[in-house]
């Protein structure tokens, strides 16, 4: 552990020196990359600095123990330093766990109404609002890419981007099937119905991550439907892109111009193809998905939102909270932190 921490300290200081060089300061792309790398090391670097100070305090306290007049005071300082050393070692073990290379990325999220007809679409809309509220609380920005509204409300499908710091590191746990149990607004007999909506969270892909040939694409344009204004709905601004080798279809109609919609659709297409490639690699290696908490598969039931009992249950870790209203208002921190903690615990055990 010490050798790895020394390597982190050395690299952090090297980056600090590089960032002060005039030629680097003049290169925006270079300085952005170096700042990002240094930021990824900062938590471990700071913890290691404190760890070294604590080790020095232990050595000083040991010397003080030899002095009869300082014995009691030295014993208190020694015990406190030993306790802090153990806390820091536990934290450093977590900080040194292998990082998911996608953790720092923005995400593209796709929510679809699944089983349950109109109620499933309404629930998909509820999940969309929940994630918008959560993003706002995190200081992230949400940009809607494409939305297909349900006939009774909500969405049969909605795609959106979330931009901010380390978005994927938290949102990656949301992929899967979400189940709702409640009395639908359309139910006249007061019967509880179970419906589902699926969530797919994909890291946003940079150009260097995946290459798409123009010859592999079929691009269709058409008039947008739904909200968007007169110009959007009467001119062929909506874009549908089909990736022929994989038959992956992406549509975008929320922007005002065909060029903007095409750019947005290409981002979604890249994210989907990247996600499919990661799945293929994991299958070849005989491993689960990047997160050890569940597989991230659409069909996997990950969470139930039970309205009559005011309960939300995450089935992957057996976590329940009786604060359904707060969760739907975006208070997801407790659930996601519990998932992160369990994920780290399993990794520490080598699972």
């Amino acid at each position: 552990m010490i050798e790895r921490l020394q390597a982190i300290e050395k690299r952090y200081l090297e980056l600090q020196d590089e960032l002060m060089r005039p030629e680097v300061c003049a290169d925006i792309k270079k300085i952005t990359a170096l700042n990002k790398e240094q930021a990824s090391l900062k938590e471990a670097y700071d913890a290691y600095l404190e760890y070294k100070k604590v080790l020095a305090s232990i050595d000083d306290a040991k010397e003080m123990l030899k002095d009869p007049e300082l014995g009691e005071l030295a014993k208190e300082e020694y015990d406190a330093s030993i306790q802090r050393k153990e806390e820091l070692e536990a934290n450093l073990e977590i900080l040194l766990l292998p990082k998911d290379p996608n953790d720092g990325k923005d995400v593209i999220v796709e929510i679809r109404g699944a089983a349950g007809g109109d109620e499933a679409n309404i629930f998909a809309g509820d999940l969309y609002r929940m994630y918008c509220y959560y993003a706002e609380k995190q200081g992230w920005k949400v940009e809607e890419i494409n939305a297909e509204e349900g006939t009774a409300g909500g969405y049969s499908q909605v795609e959106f981007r979330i931009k901010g710091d380390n978005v994927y590191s938290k949102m990656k746990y949301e992929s899967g099937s979400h189940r709702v149990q409640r009395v639908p607004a359309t139910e006249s007999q007061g019967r509880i119905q179970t419906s589902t909506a699926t969530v797919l969270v994909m890291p946003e892909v940079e150009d260097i991550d995946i290459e798409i040939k123009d010859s592999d694409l079929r691009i269709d344009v058409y008039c947008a439907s739904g909200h968007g204004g007169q110009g959007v709905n009467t001119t062929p601004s909506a874009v549908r892109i089909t990736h022929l080798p994989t038959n992956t279809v992406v549509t975008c109609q929320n922007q005002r111009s065909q060029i903007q919609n095409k750019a947005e659709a290409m981002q979604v297409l890249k994210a989907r193809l990247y996600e499919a490639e990661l799945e293929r690699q994991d299958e070849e290696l005989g491993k689960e998905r990047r997160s050890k908490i569940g597989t991230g598969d659409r069909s996997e039931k990950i969470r139930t939102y039970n309205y009559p009992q005011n309960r939300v249950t995450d089935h992957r870790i057996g976590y329940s909270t009786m604060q359904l209203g707060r969760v739907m208002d975006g208070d997801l921190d407790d659930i996601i932190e519990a998932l992160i903690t369990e994920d780290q615990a399993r990794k520490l055990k080598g699972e």
Side-chain angles (χ1 to χ4, degrees), residues 10-11 18 26 35 68 76 83 145 158 224 239 346:
K10 180 182 177 183
R11 180 55 183 160
E18 282 191 65
N35 272 320
E76 289 179 6
Q83 182 179 346
I145 296 172
V158 59
V239 174
R346 294 184 187 186

Side-chain angles (χ1 to χ4, degrees), residues 239-251:
V239 174
R240 180 187 300 109
I241 299 178
T242 304
H243 185 250
L244 300 174
T246 60
N247 198 33
T248 302
V249 180
V250 175
T251 61

Side-chain angles (χ1 to χ4, degrees), residues 8 42-43 86 93 101 105 108 110 141 147 152 159 164-165 198 205 226 233 263 271-272 291 318 322 324 335 339 351:
I8 287 172
K42 189 176 190 310
E43 192 174 2
E86 292 172 353
E93 279 189 345
K105 293 183 177 180
I108 292 174
E110 177 189 286
K141 183 180 178 182
E159 291 161 319
D165 293 332
T198 59
V205 183
N233 297 331
R272 285 191 184 173
S291 170
M322 307 303 288
L324 183 145
I335 296 175
L339 287 163
E351 294 181 8

Side-chain angles (χ1 to χ4, degrees), residues 27-29 56 98 138-139 142 156 221 267 271 325 346:
D27 187 337
I28 297 298
K29 192 172 183 180
Q138 298 295 313
V142 176
S156 59
V221 296
Q267 284 294 323
R346 294 184 187 186

Side-chain angles (χ1 to χ4, degrees), residues 66-328:
K66 298 175 183 177
D67 188 333
E69 295 182 5
L70 298 175
E72 186 174 339
L73 179 63
K75 182 69 167 60
E76 289 179 6
E77 184 173 334
Y78 177 80
D79 290 344
S81 296
I82 288 293
Q83 182 179 346
R84 184 57 184 153
K85 172 178 174 287
E86 292 172 353
E87 292 171 355
L88 283 169
E89 285 175 344
N91 185 44
L92 285 166
E93 279 189 345
I94 292 172
L95 291 175
L96 292 176
L97 286 172
K99 296 288 192 298
D100 186 329
N102 292 316
D103 275 352
K105 293 183 177 180
D106 299 335
V107 301
I108 292 174
V109 184
E110 177 189 286
I111 304 175
R112 292 175 182 261
D118 288 339
E119 172 64 6
N121 292 342
I122 293 171
F123 180 50
D126 293 340
L127 291 177
Y128 178 34
R129 284 188 291 276
M130 179 184 77
Y131 291 129
C132 286
Y133 290 143
Y134 177 61
E136 183 180 356
K137 293 175 190 292
Q138 298 295 313
W140 299 338
K141 183 180 178 182
V142 176
E143 299 173 354
E144 191 174 294
I145 296 172
N146 189 56
E148 298 175 15
E149 296 180 356
T151 54
Y155 300 93
S156 59
Q157 179 177 337
V158 59
E159 291 161 319
F160 55 99
R161 177 185 292 107
I162 304 180
K163 302 175 72 172
D165 293 332
N166 300 310
V167 181
Y168 187 74
S169 68
K170 295 184 177 182
M171 285 296 297
K172 64 183 176 182
Y173 299 101
E174 295 303 297
S175 285
S177 179
H178 295 241
R179 182 175 70 171
V180 64
Q181 294 174 323
R182 64 186 177 189
V183 179
T186 55
E187 170 58 52
S188 59
Q189 303 298 318
R191 291 172 295 193
I192 296 173
Q193 179 176 320
T194 298
S195 305
T196 60
T198 59
V199 176
L200 178 62
V201 178
M202 302 170 284
E204 189 161 30
V205 183
E206 299 171 8
D207 289 340
I208 56 173
D209 290 324
I210 190 165
E211 182 180 354
I212 300 174
K213 297 177 182 178
D214 290 340
S215 59
D216 289 340
L217 301 177
R218 186 179 73 235
I219 300 176
D220 303 306
V221 296
Y222 56 98
C223 293
S225 60
H227 61 277
Q230 182 178 354
V232 174
N233 297 331
T234 58
T235 58
S237 58
V239 174
R240 180 187 300 109
I241 299 178
T242 304
H243 185 250
L244 300 174
T246 60
N247 198 33
T248 302
V249 180
V250 175
T251 61
C252 185
Q253 62 177 13
N254 281 29
Q255 302 300 323
R256 297 194 64 85
S257 76
Q258 186 183 126
I259 293 174
Q260 290 173 317
N261 280 323
K262 181 181 176 183
E264 292 280 14
M266 284 299 296
Q267 284 294 323
V268 176
L269 178 62
K270 288 177 182 178
R272 285 191 184 173
L273 295 179
Y274 183 61
E275 183 78 3
E277 176 61 18
L278 290 175
E279 287 184 34
R280 186 191 64 78
Q281 290 175 4
D282 287 341
E283 287 174 4
E284 283 186 359
L285 294 171
K287 295 180 180 178
E288 289 183 349
R289 298 287 297 282
R290 276 126 289 146
S291 170
K292 295 298 181 183
I293 300 294
T295 64
D297 189 273
R298 254 190 214 280
S299 62
E300 181 193 20
K301 182 183 72 178
I302 65 167
R303 196 174 296 151
T304 295
Y305 305 75
N306 187 307
Y307 277 72
Q309 298 179 15
N310 193 39
R311 185 183 70 238
V312 179
T313 300
D314 195 289
H315 303 289
R316 295 164 293 181
I317 57 174
Y319 177 94
S320 289
T321 175
M322 307 303 288
Q323 301 288 334
L324 183 145
R326 292 179 58 184
V327 170
M328 299 310 293

